[in-house]
Structures are given as C-alpha cells and as structure tokens.
Amino acid sequence: MNKVTVVGSLNVDTTMKIKRMPLPGETISTLGKSSAAGGKGANQAVSAARSGAQTFFVGEVGKDSGGEMMLNDLRENGIDVSGIRENAQVGTGSAAILLDEHGQNSILVYGGANQQLSVDDVNAAKNQIMEADFVVAQFETPQAATLRAFELAKENGVTTILNPAPAQKIDPAVLKLTDLIIPNETESQALTGIIITDETSMLMSAAKFAQMGVRNLIITVGAKGAFYCTQDGYNFIPAFKVNAVDTTAAGDTFIGALASQLKPDMSNIEKALVYAQRASSLAVQKMGALPSIPTKQQVIAASQN
C-alpha cells in the first residue's frame, strides 16, 4: 500500500448544468444545480484513498459549514485530516462550475482559506511527509507551501509529483525538486511554449522540462490518452473510449489513482498509467467531482469487462 501525502486545495463545488456556454453579456437559464465537495487537492486525495493508498492531507478550510463538509467527506474516505487547519478569518474555498450538455466545463475558483496555506502548516506535517512514498501538490495553494513540502520530501527520499494546474509561472526551485510533473497539453504549452500536436512535440516538451530540472513527465491529452517520458523510455497510452457526462475531476482522478499504484522508482509506470486511465474513464461517466471518483474494486471490475 502506497502512502500518499497531498498538499493542496479544498473547495465546495457548485455545478450548474447548461445546454451551452453563454456568450459575453448573455444570460441563460440552467438545467440543474448541485453542490459537492471538491478542489484539486481533495479530488486527488480521495482518488488515491479510494484506490487503496494510505492518504494524509495538508490544507486549510474556513471555520464554517463548507469546511465542516470538506472535513467530513475526507474522513468518510479514510483520509487523515489532522493536517488540515481550520481558519476562523477566511472562508472555505469554493468553485462555480458551468457544465454543458457535452460534458465540457468552465470553472471559476474562489481560493479562500486555500490561499492561506503556509510553510508553518507544512512544517507541522513534517512526519507525515517524511513517511510518505509520494507527496502530491497542485497550484490552488501557494507555491511557498509546495516548495517547503518538496524540500522536506527530497531531504527524506520521498518522490514528489507536481500537477501544475492551474497553469502559472513556477518557481524554478519547485521544479528542481519535482520528480514527476503531470500537466495537460494546455498547461504543458503554457510552461514550455511548445504546442502539443504529436509524439515529436511531446518529446521536445520532455526535453524542455528536463532543462528545467524535471526528468520525468506525463502529459494528459484528454480523451486521447497520456504520454509519458522517463529516464527509462517513453510511450503514449491511449484512453478508454466512453461517453463523458462530466469531465470536472477527470485529471485529478487520474493523478490520485496513479499515485496509489506507481512505484516510487516509476518502474511500473505503464501499468500504473493504464490503471489511472481506467479510473479517469469511470469518473467522467458520473456527475460531480468527489462523487464520480471510483474505488479500486470498481476500476478492477471495469478492467475485466
């Protein structure tokens, strides 16, 4: 069983189903509305936990009903929430998701307590970081917290995984402490300037990331699949063909599932990638973020059909 420590965001998601995305200045009616626990950090942690990883979370929520909801949902998934601080001054993070009839989404995020996550919060979780197989982070929390978590991880031989989303300028020190970076094709282009079109452009991107200090790369390419490049080789793993209903947590499900199965030396990366692709393909067939994330038993069952 892998031990995974997630340093990241916790959001209450409100999803509004619409026929199509509104034009600038246009008002349209929604077809439905629902709320659920989410946030990239929470999604990735729940995905890892449901796939069997022993999961610990470092984050912040507001001392409010949204924060209580987030803590309860993580606990119900067997995640250790002792590393989550309740902030009495700032509200719990939230996201407004517009979801069209084709399963595509646009998301507005309010950072809230997520943006208060500090180096002190990370230092308080030093033991859990030291004992982990993987430390996973994204960019819905301050990079200073991510940097400190990765420093502690590398001092103790722990493998680090960075999901550079949402795309932004990255502190070079964070990249130098990243063992595996997992952007989608848009985020990869934003960071390298290379448009992802084919295998050649993916290999060029891998070389660019290596120049930045990251020697292992996975680029997720939506419904097409995922490309990986490590020090031992590269390949493209096709995605499973499904009818997508809601793609909100697809990438996060992929990352959490991958962290639950991957060996720290990445020697089983293709097998772990296939598992993660299967988990993601199940997630997009259901509504919501956390509610859509499958268990290990569901992933295995789907693999046998």
Side-chain angles (χ1 to χ4, degrees):
M1 178 191 295
N2 278 353
K3 292 183 179 180
V4 177
T5 292
V6 176
V7 179
S9 56
L10 300 143
N11 290 332
V12 176
D13 291 346
T14 298
T15 300
M16 288 173 280
K17 294 184 70 175
I18 53 178
K19 188 173 180 61
R20 58 171 176 79
M21 294 296 167
L23 298 171
E26 182 183 21
T27 299
I28 62 174
S29 297
T30 64
L31 303 176
K33 176 183 174 182
S34 61
S35 293
K40 297 190 71 62
N43 296 339
Q44 292 172 16
V46 168
S47 179
R50 289 185 183 172
S51 279
Q54 183 178 330
T55 309
F56 181 86
F57 203 99
V58 183
E60 280 201 25
V61 293
K63 201 170 183 61
D64 50 28
S65 60
E68 186 176 345
M69 170 185 168
M70 293 304 306
L71 292 171
N72 287 337
D73 275 28
L74 295 190
R75 288 192 190 101
E76 288 174 4
N77 282 279
I79 295 169
D80 186 338
V81 300
S82 60
I84 299 176
R85 185 165 73 90
E86 293 182 83
N87 191 317
Q89 280 73 49
V90 182
T92 300
S94 62
I97 302 167
L98 298 179
L99 178 68
D100 72 17
E101 61 183 359
H102 302 294
Q104 294 302 309
N105 60 55
S106 294
I107 305 175
L108 300 173
V109 176
Y110 163 67
N114 294 312
Q115 294 304 312
Q116 304 303 310
L117 186 65
S118 68
V119 169
D120 289 340
D121 293 326
V122 173
N123 284 334
K126 180 178 179 179
N127 289 340
Q128 287 79 9
I129 291 172
M130 290 169 53
E131 296 168 1
D133 295 300
F134 294 96
V135 171
V136 181
Q138 331 77 33
F139 284 154
E140 287 184 340
T141 50
Q143 285 194 40
T146 299
L147 176 60
R148 183 55 184 151
F150 280 16
E151 286 173 346
L152 289 170
K154 299 318 299 172
E155 288 168 7
N156 293 278
V158 177
T159 301
T160 56
I161 297 177
L162 178 64
N163 172 216
Q168 59 186 260
K169 185 175 181 180
I170 306 178
D171 182 344
V174 172
L175 288 173
K176 290 175 182 176
L177 295 172
T178 299
D179 292 310
L180 172 63
I181 192 166
I182 310 179
N184 62 26
E185 71 269 39
T186 303
E187 292 152 0
S188 180
Q189 179 185 342
L191 294 170
T192 66
I194 299 168
I195 300 173
I196 300 299
T197 55
D198 53 16
E199 183 177 280
T200 299
S201 61
M202 292 177 183
L203 285 170
M204 290 172 59
S205 299
K208 186 73 171 180
F209 278 114
Q211 291 175 11
M212 299 178 192
V214 189
R215 292 182 290 179
N216 301 290
L217 166 71
I218 295 174
I219 301 175
T220 57
V221 194
K224 295 179 181 178
F227 169 84
Y228 79 84
C229 184
T230 70
Q231 298 171 75
D232 297 321
Y234 65 90
N235 200 359
F236 188 87
I237 308 297
F240 295 95
K241 301 294 183 183
V242 298
N243 293 319
V245 173
D246 182 1
T247 59
T248 302
D252 296 331
T253 298
F254 176 92
I255 290 168
L258 182 84
S260 77
Q261 305 299 308
L262 188 63
K263 293 180 180 178
D265 64 2
M266 302 186 205
S267 59
N268 68 332
I269 192 165
E270 283 211 6
K271 184 177 180 180
L273 264 172
V274 171
Y275 178 93
Q277 293 272 45
R278 178 69 76 180
S280 184
S281 75
L282 292 174
V284 300
Q285 295 180 69
K286 292 184 178 181
M287 284 291 298
L290 294 197
S292 73
I293 298 171
T295 63
K296 186 174 185 177
Q297 291 75 19
Q298 290 170 327
V299 176
I300 291 173
S303 301
Q304 294 171 343
N305 291 338

